[in-house]
Amino acid sequence: QVVYDAYFGKPISDARKGFLEKQNATGPCTIVVEPCKQDEGRRVDGTCANPKYPSRGGSPTPLLRMLPARFGVGNNLRPSTDGSELPSARLLRTKLLSAGYPDDHDFSSLAANILVFSIGDSVDVTVLLRYAIVSDCCVGNAPNLANPSCIPIPVPQDDPYLRKTGVRCMNLTRVTTYQETGCLPNTLPAERYSIQTPLADLSIVYGFTKDREAQIRTYEGGLLKSEQKDGVERPPGTAAFCLLNRRPVENSCYEYGDSYDGNLVTGMSLASMWYYREHNRLARKLAAINPCWSDQQLFETARQINIAQYQYVIYYELIGPILGYKNALDAGILYNTNGYVNDFDERYKPGVYHEYVVGTRWFHTFQNGRSDLYSKKGEYLGSRTAVDDAFRSGILEVNNTEADLTQGTFRQPAAKFDYTIDPDLTERVFSVLQTAADLSAIDIMRGRDQGLPPYNEYRKLCGLPVAHSFEDLHDTIFPDKVEQMRRIYEEVDDVELMTAIYSEKLIEGGYVGPTLFCIMARNLVQWRKSDRHFFEHGDLPSSLTLSQLNEVRKTSIARLICDNGDQVEEIQPQAFFNPGKGNEIVSCKEIPGMDLRYWTDQKCFPEKEKENVKLPQEHSEKRQVNIDGIDWSSYYYTYKK
Ligand code: HEM
């Protein structure tokens, strides 16, 4: 065992260890790593995803940065170029994004649900939320300037909505940092602290520590602990996190590996439930196919298949259409192959970027404020208000709500990507917990809080010309929005990444602007290159065989929901898209999936029985892809003029 410094990612010296012990800060500042082995599979605790950086990928972990942090003096928020405070994030939000309800013509709500689940799987959303629950950074109606963890948002007098209410201050606290937990001195840039494993590895389902893994496993048949209620399998409902459950009627709060993110918002709780059930479904099938397998072998294989199909669905079925297939292929996010893609590169550190978790807040425009309820035959039954269902997974077991909401995920459109955001998210995102809270204004504030440099620096990083004047922004941002920015910011160098992401024109073939495309591409490439267990890699003893890999490539989100959604009997084949012509709702029997016989283990069968075990034909390898360096500046040329 080697003890690593969680922040620096290096083995810890005795002196530092002693210091941390005295400070009582060993937990958040260290990661214990067993030596990495060539023949092992993916660890639940995330360590050894890349043996060159064994502790990276583990928990806790700092986020990666594409560009060096930019803070004000003493790690305060960065000021404007003239030294004044940056403008009110609420003012910027109300001038740049409108509030409204338009539905998307293409994507279903399921796409937004799985996207937000994938964010919660890679970063610890709950470390952001102390303002929602415990702190008050507005004293009366004025910002609390005395408390250094407060960054309240001032509300202008003529605010289009809040002028009628008299609210002039919105509550907000800074993220928890390694400085705060005692791991780093204040002389180093403030660095956010996250307890998730930062890769795409279903840590919401399986947890991110060995202790938690031990709590949620049965150690029989490879299964996770579960309960059967009304014929439906669910994790035990005894977790403590669901603070808005209306008890005594709404009681369930599920014991996922990560019960915080698993029970957070409806889309995330449904996705967590599906992938949780899928683990047990796979373990049972594998046990039937391979009667000689141990609990450990069943657990590891079911988990490996579950994570592989999750990565496949995220990359190929969801990110592909959102970024545009061609763009994603060009950028090395996706590969058009039936072979392995051996692009593991030990120089890449496992991790999630600050820029990714700030920038992908763009998809808040994608979130529908209502969650529609449908019967399994497609009759509309009514709607729930999404923000009132956060922290409240107790709703699922009452009045058939899980089944009706599940139908809604694929029958209801997502909100449109169109610079319009649902008013529930911009005025009352914390429901009864806060008088007024604007999620997009918070999104802008988080860019400041996490020390992101100005938009111009990212233009340079992404191959766009540096803007010397506001006019220079017209290449990527609509003129009306540039005009608003000119009125609100002092200088073009003050324009922030998040305000630009909320204002950029969309790239050809995709639903993001050029800078967010560049940021997402870098993060998604980082995830696959830094993770030796990424599902398309074929160079480890634990890798999927080529036949197994190509089975994984046959599955889909529709199959996952048919197998694990409560009472789902029919669905459209491309369930991230709205049902309709060319994507009609069909029986689940018509939705293709994996053939698990490719996981048959000959060792389980005595010699004479072997000939009776029919194996499907082996797939053949068509093409092996190797990846050279990527020219990031090429993205620039794809956006719509
Ligand atoms: C009802 C639906 C949703 C609600 C109520 C919600 C609410 C929130 C809240 C309160 C935060 C933390 C704000 C902060 O203090 O910084 C947040 C963060 C975030 N949300 Fe959402 N959100 C929703 C849907 C989505 C969707 C569909 C996406 C799609 C990707 C998304 C992406 C993100 C990201 C990337 C973050 C930042 C995570 C981090 O830095 O840890 N959210 N959301």
Side-chain angles (χ1 to χ4, degrees):
Q1 279 191 349
V2 181
V3 181
Y4 277 77
D5 188 305
Y7 176 75
F8 293 105
K10 300 255 160 59
I12 203 162
S13 67
D14 286 344
R16 171 107 163 121
K17 202 166 151 203
F19 168 78
L20 293 176
E21 270 162 16
K22 268 198 213 121
Q23 299 255 89
N24 216 2
T26 313
C29 309
T30 57
I31 300 185
V32 179
V33 185
E34 306 281 340
C36 304
K37 298 185 205 107
Q38 172 70 5
D39 61 351
E40 66 182 334
R42 181 189 295 282
R43 297 181 181 182
V44 169
D45 72 6
T47 60
C48 291
N50 176 352
K52 184 165 179 215
Y53 301 105
S55 69
R56 300 289 183 192
S59 161
T61 182
L63 279 68
L64 305 175
R65 286 188 184 275
M66 293 184 190
L67 291 172
R70 188 85 72 79
F71 286 106
V73 178
N75 277 328
N76 284 320
L77 303 191
R78 164 173 75 84
S80 305
T81 35
D82 70 356
S84 62
E85 239 177 72
L86 282 166
S88 156
R90 170 72 175 183
L91 175 67
L92 284 159
R93 199 290 288 163
T94 52
K95 298 291 180 186
L96 295 172
L97 282 182
S98 14
Y101 301 108
D103 282 340
D104 199 83
H105 301 310
D106 300 324
F107 289 96
S108 68
S109 282
L110 189 58
N113 295 165
I114 298 292
L115 200 53
V116 67
F117 173 81
S118 77
I119 298 292
D121 184 49
S122 67
V123 73
D124 180 7
V125 181
T126 49
V127 301
L128 307 169
L129 295 183
R130 59 184 152 179
Y131 65 96
I133 298 157
V134 288
S135 311
D136 192 349
C137 290
C138 300
V139 186
N141 214 357
N144 175 354
L145 302 176
N147 183 344
S149 73
C150 280
I151 44 169
I153 305 175
V155 177
Q157 290 283 346
D158 62 348
D159 186 276
Y161 180 79
L162 291 174
R163 68 184 160 195
K164 297 179 207 128
T165 66
V167 172
R168 293 284 164 272
C169 175
M170 285 175 158
N171 196 13
L172 190 65
T173 43
R174 297 197 70 170
V175 297
T176 318
T177 60
Y178 278 100
Q179 274 79 358
E180 206 174 315
T181 49
C183 306
L184 285 184
N186 263 329
T187 43
L188 287 175
E191 205 46 78
R192 178 174 166 185
Y193 166 82
S194 177
I195 55 168
Q196 294 287 349
T197 62
L199 296 172
D201 62 355
L202 287 182
S203 53
I204 293 186
V205 173
Y206 297 102
F208 38 81
T209 62
K210 285 195 208 113
D211 289 350
R212 186 62 184 158
E213 177 192 348
Q215 285 165 5
I216 62 168
R217 283 178 63 176
T218 62
Y219 291 98
E220 273 172 39
L223 296 170
L224 295 168
K225 284 183 189 159
S226 65
E227 291 169 350
Q228 293 282 343
K229 273 194 215 152
D230 307 323
V232 187
E233 184 176 24
R234 299 192 177 96
T238 47
F241 177 64
C242 309
L243 71 152
L244 292 186
N245 271 354
R246 296 187 189 164
R247 298 184 196 265
V249 178
E250 299 166 2
N251 291 308
S252 51
C253 184
Y254 299 105
E255 298 279 1
Y256 296 109
D258 169 8
S259 293
Y260 294 96
D261 291 272
N263 291 292
L264 204 55
V265 289
T266 302
M268 287 167 87
S269 24
L270 288 175
S272 308
M273 189 71 84
W274 300 328
Y275 280 107
Y276 195 93
R277 281 186 193 133
E278 174 68 356
H279 174 90
N280 281 357
R281 190 189 75 85
L282 288 166
R284 290 187 185 106
K285 291 239 169 210
L286 290 167
I289 293 171
N290 296 315
C292 72
W293 276 13
S294 66
D295 164 73
Q296 189 61 21
Q297 196 165 7
L298 288 166
F299 175 78
E300 284 179 14
T301 311
R303 178 167 171 267
Q304 182 187 28
I305 301 172
N306 206 8
I307 295 174
Q309 61 172 342
Y310 164 65
Q311 291 179 338
Y312 170 73
V313 162
I314 296 284
Y315 273 68
Y316 284 83
E317 213 183 336
L318 183 57
I319 294 295
I322 287 181
L323 297 186
Y325 277 110
K326 187 177 172 312
N327 301 330
L329 286 170
D330 289 349
I333 303 166
L334 307 183
Y335 286 83
N336 187 8
T337 178
N338 292 332
Y340 288 119
V341 184
N342 286 322
D343 62 346
F344 172 70
D345 183 335
E346 62 163 21
R347 292 170 303 175
Y348 285 70
K349 279 185 195 151
V352 62
Y353 281 100
H354 277 281
E355 287 84 353
Y356 183 79
V357 300
V358 173
T360 50
R361 288 163 181 253
W362 156 252
F363 297 106
H364 280 144
T365 68
F366 197 31
Q367 175 67 46
N368 213 311
R370 283 145 313 286
S371 309
D372 287 349
L373 303 159
Y374 282 87
S375 76
K376 61 182 177 184
K377 288 285 160 228
E379 295 139 334
Y380 172 68
L381 302 175
S383 298
R384 301 184 63 93
T385 306
V387 297
D388 291 330
D389 285 347
F391 311 100
R392 198 181 159 198
S393 60
I395 59 169
L396 295 184
E397 287 180 24
V398 181
N399 288 337
N400 208 37
T401 304
E402 185 190 344
D404 299 345
L405 277 172
T406 301
Q407 293 290 330
T409 60
F410 56 88
R411 296 178 192 269
Q412 177 189 10
K416 197 163 165 46
F417 297 105
D418 64 346
Y419 319 98
T420 305
I421 183 153
D422 194 287
D424 280 353
L425 295 180
T426 56
E427 304 301 343
R428 51 180 301 268
V429 65
F430 289 112
S431 182
V432 292
L433 292 172
Q434 294 289 309
T435 322
D438 178 341
L439 186 53
S440 305
I442 293 171
D443 295 344
I444 295 169
M445 288 304 282
R446 282 291 173 236
R448 299 176 192 177
D449 184 23
Q450 292 179 216
L452 301 192
Y455 175 52
N456 240 339
E457 305 274 326
Y458 290 96
R459 285 177 63 97
K460 215 186 303 174
L461 180 82
C462 296
L464 291 156
V466 171
H468 299 291
S469 67
F470 281 97
E471 279 70 40
D472 290 347
L473 298 178
H474 286 163
D475 56 356
T476 52
I477 300 179
F478 294 103
D480 54 312
K481 295 196 187 290
V482 173
E483 181 53 26
Q484 292 298 341
M485 288 180 179
R486 184 211 307 279
R487 292 181 199 173
I488 300 172
Y489 287 111
E490 298 290 334
E491 297 285 342
V492 70
D493 275 334
D494 293 334
V495 173
E496 296 160 271
L497 178 66
M498 197 62 225
T499 47
I501 286 177
Y502 271 135
S503 315
E504 276 189 345
K505 303 171 197 174
L506 306 188
I507 59 172
E508 191 72 51
Y511 294 86
V512 293
T515 316
L516 181 56
F517 178 77
C518 158
I519 286 170
M520 288 182 72
R522 280 169 175 261
N523 196 93
L524 292 160
V525 169
Q526 185 89 15
W527 274 353
R528 54 180 302 147
K529 281 181 176 263
S530 65
D531 177 0
R532 63 181 171 143
H533 304 296
F534 192 77
F535 81 105
E536 287 183 307
H537 296 164
D539 39 16
L540 288 179
S542 59
S543 304
L544 296 173
T545 66
L546 197 60
S547 305
Q548 292 167 349
L549 171 58
N550 283 313
E551 285 306 308
V552 169
R553 287 172 171 151
K554 282 187 194 153
T555 196
S556 61
I557 195 69
R559 190 66 257 163
L560 182 89
I561 293 174
C562 279
D563 287 333
N564 304 290
D566 187 4
Q567 301 169 40
V568 176
E569 289 161 11
E570 51 178 36
I571 196 167
Q572 66 273 31
Q574 295 188 58
F576 286 141
F577 291 95
N578 292 321
K581 204 167 178 326
N583 193 27
E584 282 87 0
I585 292 188
V586 294
S587 158
C588 279
K589 293 191 188 111
E590 291 178 42
I591 305 287
M594 286 180 277
D595 183 345
L596 289 176
R597 287 177 303 161
Y598 284 99
W599 277 262
T600 306
D601 184 351
Q602 294 289 344
K603 286 204 269 330
C604 289
F605 303 95
E607 213 46 54
K608 59 178 180 348
E609 268 184 36
K610 271 189 185 152
E611 57 206 44
N612 297 332
V613 182
K614 286 227 168 45
L615 282 184
Q617 267 199 326
E618 280 291 295
H619 290 282
S620 65
E621 179 170 352
K622 287 211 179 118
R623 180 155 80 84
Q624 186 104 359
V625 180
N626 284 315
I627 298 153
D628 297 316
I630 292 161
D631 174 13
W632 297 104
S633 66
S634 63
Y635 305 138
Y636 164 47
Y637 299 103
T638 58
Y639 80 87
K640 284 176 194 152
K641 300 267 178 212

